[in-house]
Amino acid sequence: MGIPAYWRTRAQRYALVGEVCHKCGAKIFPPRDVCPECSRPASDPFTFSGRGEVYSFSTIYQPPEGFEEFVPYTVAIVKLEEGPLVTAQLTDVDPAEVHIGMPVEMVTRKLREEGEEGQIIYGYKFRPLLRNTLTPRPSGQAA
Amino acid sequence: MRDVSIIGFGQTPVGEHWELSLRHLAAQAVLAAMQDAGIERADALYVGNMLSSETSGQHHLGALVADFVGLRGIEAFRVEAACASGAAALRAGYLAVASDAADLVIVAGVEKMTDSIGNSITTALAEAADADYETPHGLSFVSINALLMRRYMYEFGVRHEDFAGFAITAHQNAVNNPYAMFRRPITKEEFVQARMIADPINLLDSSPVADGAAAVVLCPTEQARSFTDHPVRIRACEVGTDSLALHDRRDPLFLEAGYISVQKAYARAGVTPADIDLFELHDAFTIMAALSLEAAGFARRGEGVRLAMDGSIARNGRIPISTMGGLKGRGHPVGATGIYQVIEVAQQVTGRAGANQVPNARLGMAQNIGGSGATIITTILEA
Ligand SMILES: [Zn+2]
């Protein structure tokens, strides 16, 4: 993927901006301006919450070019809470702990670098949902 | 539409052909097919290929191959539909003859994959996937199939080792195919212990990268007997499509494009799954074999893998598959695979499959899959 292509998809990569179909109500990601459910025009932006759960996952040992430095890394299809599936890497997690149904949330991370002195490409990855960050319990207390 | 038949075919052994370039691979197969059909000219040549630009720096294969087989001047072009490019070229040739636009058509498939070094072939193969929303996240083509396999195992309560029968059957059948890449059997123990590529998919779930070329000659059925004693009728050659990206599918575990193409093919041929004597399916990965059997109506959802566990897919089973080695044992030179499959079915239905002959085979089906199921082409052949 070249720099212009990354630029064109920046709203999707940074903020999960998709679309909503006003005919049938489908939430659409990635955006395509035609509703995949009812085939009618659909171009009203809709920003997804970024929360969802793991639908499936795989840890890659033989990577495509440009991803060698990350091996082994875990990719997943995430089912967003609004409905659509999205493909992304998982991050901040031990691959052995990943399971289908695991709650996750979107974060922005480095996807890759375009060459030795190239630009760093950022985009969405998903990490385990941090449930208790606002009200941490003292250790040892029963849940 | 006119009825169309195959009157000759040719293939190179599948493997690493470091001494042969892309054009010479294709030319060998085309010249062998022309000799088999006893022809010295043709009206058109269609070449199925996926990766020639990435692997050989060469596009424009129609004119190139036509020139190198002595057919300079005829209609010729390349057809691309990822790993289904071979069958897509067959569809183009079939339509040309059926529509009366041409009488004698050569359809070739060619791929030259082993010149590529490092991870570049992994990158090239991933171009079958969505370049905006799958591959930028570091997905390899293997990993996309791994996502399918993991979900299948989860939803249907299946273990990885339950898929072993697909790979074991393919390797066993490849032993007797002189054109196959891996002519040695494998054991269940080897399958379980093979090196992981993108878990749960390991090396023995996966078909190998290879070089190869194959070609068939088509003509109207009413003229076929004047060329050969072994004509094979194309009863159907039908295409279905789905989203490129797995995440855009309504149900990723159901091959909608396969279902569409198979239903169209059954309808055109006027047959049902019970009439099919063998099925050369697209076992690029063991999970794909299971999903193909389900989409084609040979098993209910989640039960395709059981046909690999109870012997149904053996040569004397209810629905023999990979009878000459499949993608797993014969090898998977991606753009050529669809033509290899069709040749293998043609061999079976004319009783010329040698030691691997399926008893009394008359009606056979081939299915070529592009990407993770976005293009699926089903061909039904009858002697
Ligand atoms: Zn809609």
Side-chain angles (χ1 to χ4, degrees):
Chain A
M1 194 183 218
I3 300 303
Y6 279 115
W7 185 83
R8 284 192 293 269
T9 56
R10 66 199 184 285
Q12 285 70 51
R13 281 185 296 108
Y14 292 140
L16 281 178
V17 177
E19 289 165 336
V20 58
C21 172
H22 282 304
K23 284 290 177 192
C24 74
K27 309 289 199 305
I28 304 163
F29 190 88
R32 51 184 65 202
D33 300 344
V34 174
C35 176
E37 298 300 327
C38 69
S39 298
R40 295 177 192 260
S43 54
D44 290 331
F46 177 87
T47 301
F48 287 82
S49 70
R51 285 184 299 274
E53 61 175 49
V54 171
Y55 172 87
S56 192
F57 64 98
S58 172
T59 300
I60 293 181
Y61 298 89
Q62 191 172 306
E65 290 166 310
F67 292 90
E68 291 87 349
E69 64 174 299
F70 302 105
V71 169
Y73 56 96
T74 302
V75 298
I77 295 178
V78 171
K79 184 168 179 57
L80 299 173
E81 62 183 4
E82 296 89 347
L85 301 175
V86 60
T87 299
Q89 282 184 32
L90 299 182
T91 188
D92 306 351
V93 65
D94 176 354
E97 315 234 306
V98 179
H99 58 273
I100 289 175
M102 184 173 81
V104 292
E105 62 187 350
M106 177 208 158
V107 291
T108 301
R109 289 284 190 276
K110 181 175 91 167
L111 291 183
R112 63 180 290 178
E113 292 175 35
E114 295 280 343
E116 287 277 305
E117 295 163 18
Q119 132 175 22
I120 297 174
I121 305 299
Y122 292 93
Y124 50 78
K125 294 187 180 182
F126 286 79
R127 70 178 176 197
L129 186 62
L130 302 178
R131 290 178 186 283
N132 300 319
T133 46
L134 296 180
T135 53
R137 284 185 298 271
S139 62
Q141 185 178 328
Chain B
M1 299 227 305
R2 295 196 293 183
D3 206 83
V4 181
S5 285
I6 296 169
I7 54 168
F9 53 76
Q11 53 186 327
T12 71
V14 177
E16 183 174 350
H17 291 285
W18 57 269
E19 78 287 8
L20 288 175
S21 66
L22 178 79
R23 68 184 69 178
H24 288 112
L25 271 170
Q28 273 195 6
V30 170
L31 290 171
M34 292 176 70
Q35 186 176 26
D36 190 42
I39 62 168
E40 292 181 350
R41 47 157 286 276
D43 298 318
L45 167 70
Y46 304 119
V47 181
N49 171 268
M50 175 183 175
L51 299 170
S52 67
S53 173
E54 292 84 349
T55 58
S56 304
Q58 181 74 66
H59 267 321
H60 215 160
L61 298 190
L64 176 69
V65 177
D67 184 25
F68 273 74
V69 297
L71 293 174
R72 188 186 295 187
I74 68 166
E75 171 180 330
F77 52 81
R78 167 181 180 252
V79 180
E80 187 276 320
C83 318
S85 299
L90 182 73
R91 168 72 175 170
Y94 167 80
L95 288 178
V97 175
S99 66
D100 212 356
D103 279 336
L104 212 44
V105 171
I106 302 168
V107 181
V110 61
E111 208 70 72
K112 179 73 188 167
M113 303 173 80
T114 66
D115 280 354
S116 305
I117 51 169
N119 294 321
S120 65
I121 199 73
T122 302
T123 307
L125 285 166
E127 292 184 9
D130 187 319
D132 279 358
Y133 290 100
E134 288 185 312
T135 45
H137 298 282
L139 273 81
S140 61
F141 190 58
V142 183
S143 71
I144 292 172
N145 286 272
L147 292 167
L148 270 177
M149 191 171 191
R150 169 99 60 199
R151 184 72 193 186
Y152 186 98
M153 290 161 59
Y154 170 83
E155 278 197 23
F156 303 121
V158 179
R159 298 164 303 174
H160 176 259
E161 66 185 74
D162 294 338
F163 290 85
F166 289 119
I168 292 169
T169 301
H171 273 258
Q172 186 62 49
N173 289 337
V175 169
N176 292 319
N177 179 1
Y179 298 97
M181 182 167 179
F182 293 138
R183 302 187 63 191
R184 78 171 184 87
I186 59 167
T187 64
K188 184 161 184 179
E189 194 170 39
E190 287 176 283
F191 177 83
V192 170
Q193 294 175 354
R195 175 169 60 86
M196 197 59 76
I197 298 176
D199 77 329
I201 288 185
N202 71 29
L203 190 66
L204 290 180
D205 285 299
S206 318
S207 55
V209 163
D211 305 333
V216 294
V217 181
L218 312 180
C219 83
T221 296
E222 60 183 21
Q223 299 170 24
R225 286 272 168 197
S226 66
F227 291 98
T228 176
D229 295 331
H230 309 285
V232 176
R233 281 178 69 197
I234 300 179
R235 294 286 306 274
C237 179
E238 297 288 341
V239 184
T241 58
D242 201 345
S243 70
L244 244 64
L246 207 51
H247 57 235
D248 287 330
R249 306 261 166 91
R250 285 190 179 83
D251 176 359
L253 289 184
F254 187 73
L255 292 176
E256 186 83 27
Y259 179 78
I260 291 166
S261 75
V262 157
Q263 291 303 318
K264 286 164 80 175
Y266 288 153
R268 180 163 297 281
V271 302
T272 70
D275 298 316
I276 304 294
D277 295 317
L278 73 142
F279 182 21
E280 288 302 334
L281 51 66
H282 192 96
D283 56 332
F285 302 94
T286 52
I287 177 65
M288 271 293 148
L291 295 177
S292 296
L293 287 165
E294 293 170 21
F298 295 108
R300 288 200 294 268
R301 284 206 51 183
E303 297 184 0
V305 68
R306 307 209 175 278
L307 305 188
M309 300 163 70
D310 66 11
S312 298
I313 60 171
R315 289 205 302 276
N316 58 357
R318 182 164 65 82
I319 182 65
I321 68 168
S322 310
T323 66
M324 301 300 277
L327 280 61
K328 177 72 197 80
R330 175 228 307 123
H332 182 28
V334 288
T337 288
I339 305 297
Y340 278 99
Q341 292 176 309
V342 162
I343 291 173
E344 289 157 2
V345 174
Q347 289 174 317
Q348 288 286 4
V349 297
T350 53
R352 295 188 293 162
N356 284 7
Q357 184 65 47
V358 173
N360 305 313
R362 296 290 296 167
L363 196 69
M365 187 157 84
Q367 188 175 76
N368 199 192
I369 300 184
S372 57
T375 302
I376 302 189
I377 304 176
T378 304
T379 303
I380 297 178
L381 300 176
E382 184 179 27

